[in-house]
């Protein structure tokens, strides 16, 4: 069993428990009481490279990363540093996150919030919207093509912007065929958990010019933002580097400043 398979199995068990506690109708009612979802695409399509800053306590590859007693305060620091959006891990077993983290962040920041989890059902999309998410992660490797297409359509219909994650050429083609307009290339190999930034360089040319390209994993500092930008990234998603930093606000600001370099303007 691969790491992804193991995570998906655990996520499915946890999902079943939540479905027994909260009906889909209840989720839809909760979602209807949320403010309209924020659209991240204008910021992502602006000049330069945008930053999605992540609230992430642990990971399968590194184990515990940070305690993060107050995810809302961390998100506020990210926003103050100039992040265009906040990513919140809500998977509990391997990443130590919860939907409560997402709710707390949503109640604090006024920029788009991404639910980052292992979403395989429309129920989870409704969970995301009910908790105040504006975006939802869909991992191509975890989904059959018909399911991927259905979830992209459902996410869009309820106001969520789907961030569709890919890892290789076949997944790029599947994401494009499914109609994804925001595609994240994860530099982390799902089998070995190792990071190779060149994955983005290899896959970026395969993505249509109309797609917003997100570089996920591998950003350790401003130089990596510029490197990803050279390969065509419009957005970078950064987690581990920020949660381990003593001054996340300043670190985000440094990444944002790198993404605003004059050489990176007018790339659309």
């Amino acid at each position: 069993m691969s790491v992804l398979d193991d995570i998906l199995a655990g996520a499915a068990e946890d999902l079943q428990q939540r479905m027994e506690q909260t009906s889909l109708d209840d989720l839809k009612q909760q979602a209807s009481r949320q403010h309209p979802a924020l659209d991240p695409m204008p910021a992502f399509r602006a000049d330069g490279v945008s930053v999605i800053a992540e609230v992430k306590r642990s990971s399968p590859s590194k184990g515990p990363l940070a305690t993060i007693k107050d995810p809302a305060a961390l998100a506020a620091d990210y926003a103050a540093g100039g992040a265009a959006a906040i990513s919140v891990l809500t998977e509990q077993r391997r990443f130590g996150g919860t939907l409560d983290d997402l709710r707390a962040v949503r109640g604090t920041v006024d920029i788009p919030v991404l639910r980052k989890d292992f979403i395989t059902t429309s129920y989870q999309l409704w969970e995301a919207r009910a908790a105040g998410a504006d975006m939802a992660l869909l991992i191509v490797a975890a989904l059959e093509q018909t399911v991927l297409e259905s979830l992209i359509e459902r996410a869009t219909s309820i106001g969520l912007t789907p961030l569709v994650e890919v890892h290789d050429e076949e997944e790029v083609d599947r994401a494009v065929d499914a109609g994804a307009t925001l595609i994240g290339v994860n530099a982390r190999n799902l089998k070995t958990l190792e990071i190779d930034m060149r994955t983005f360089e290899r896959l970026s040319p395969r993505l249509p010019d109309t797609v917003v390209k997100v570089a996920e994993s591998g950003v350790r500092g401003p130089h990596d933002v510029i490197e990803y930008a050279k390969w065509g990234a419009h957005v970078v998603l950064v987690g581990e580097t920020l949660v381990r930093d003593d001054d996340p606000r300043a670190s985000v600001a440094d990444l944002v400043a790198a993404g605003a370099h004059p050489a990176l303007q007018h790339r659309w």
Side-chain angles (χ1 to χ4, degrees):
M1 178 180 287
S2 70
V3 173
L4 178 60
D5 289 336
D6 183 53
I7 293 174
L8 287 170
E13 291 180 10
D14 294 340
L15 171 61
Q16 185 60 41
Q17 291 182 5
R18 296 196 305 275
M19 291 177 69
E20 292 172 358
Q21 295 170 355
T22 306
S23 71
L24 180 58
D25 285 342
D26 285 344
L27 282 180
K28 290 181 178 180
Q29 289 181 4
Q30 293 172 31
S32 70
R33 294 193 289 268
Q34 290 289 340
H35 292 295
L38 301 173
D39 183 1
M41 296 300 266
F44 291 170
R45 290 186 181 278
D47 286 345
V49 178
S50 299
V51 175
I52 302 175
E54 191 159 81
V55 177
K56 179 180 184 180
R57 290 190 176 87
S58 62
S59 75
S61 60
K62 298 291 181 66
L65 299 173
T67 303
I68 310 183
K69 294 180 179 179
D70 190 346
L74 177 59
D77 281 341
Y78 288 162
I86 307 294
S87 170
V88 182
L89 261 301
T90 59
E91 196 278 337
Q92 186 169 1
R93 299 190 184 202
R94 294 295 194 97
F95 294 89
T98 68
L99 282 164
D100 284 340
D101 291 343
L102 178 58
R103 295 184 187 98
V105 170
R106 170 73 291 155
T108 302
V109 302
D110 58 3
I111 56 177
V113 177
L114 164 71
R115 181 189 185 184
K116 197 174 183 189
D117 208 320
F118 297 82
I119 294 173
T120 56
T121 68
S122 59
Y123 181 94
Q124 291 159 288
L125 294 175
W126 281 108
E127 277 186 321
R129 188 78 272 273
D134 310 288
M135 308 161 63
L137 182 72
L138 298 175
I139 303 173
V140 173
L143 303 167
E144 296 292 335
Q145 188 66 11
T146 54
V147 177
L148 173 64
E149 294 170 0
S150 176
L151 291 178
I152 289 176
E153 182 178 349
R154 178 51 58 89
T156 303
S157 72
I158 65 177
L160 292 167
T161 299
L163 169 58
V164 181
E165 181 177 294
V166 301
H167 301 83
D168 58 31
E169 288 80 0
E170 179 187 3
E171 291 178 12
V172 167
D173 294 345
R174 288 182 56 201
V176 173
D177 289 345
T181 56
L182 178 64
I183 297 180
V185 176
N186 196 335
R188 189 180 297 282
N189 186 305
L190 288 180
K191 296 179 180 178
T192 65
L193 298 181
E194 294 179 353
I195 291 177
D196 180 3
M197 288 179 62
R198 294 279 177 173
T199 301
F200 186 91
E201 180 187 26
R202 189 180 81 246
L203 299 182
S204 180
R206 202 176 183 94
L207 293 167
D209 292 339
T210 54
V211 166
V212 172
K213 305 175 184 180
V214 183
E216 301 177 32
S217 301
V219 175
R220 295 154 296 179
H223 59 286
D224 292 318
V225 174
I226 294 174
E227 196 73 6
Y228 271 136
K230 290 178 182 177
W231 298 331
H234 304 113
V235 184
V236 292
L237 191 154
V238 191
E240 180 182 331
T241 297
L242 296 177
V243 298
R244 286 182 160 177
D245 197 285
D246 292 334
D247 191 347
R249 176 176 177 173
S251 293
V252 169
D254 287 344
L255 299 178
V256 171
H261 191 281
L264 306 182
Q265 307 304 302
H266 311 299
R267 296 187 302 131
W268 281 101

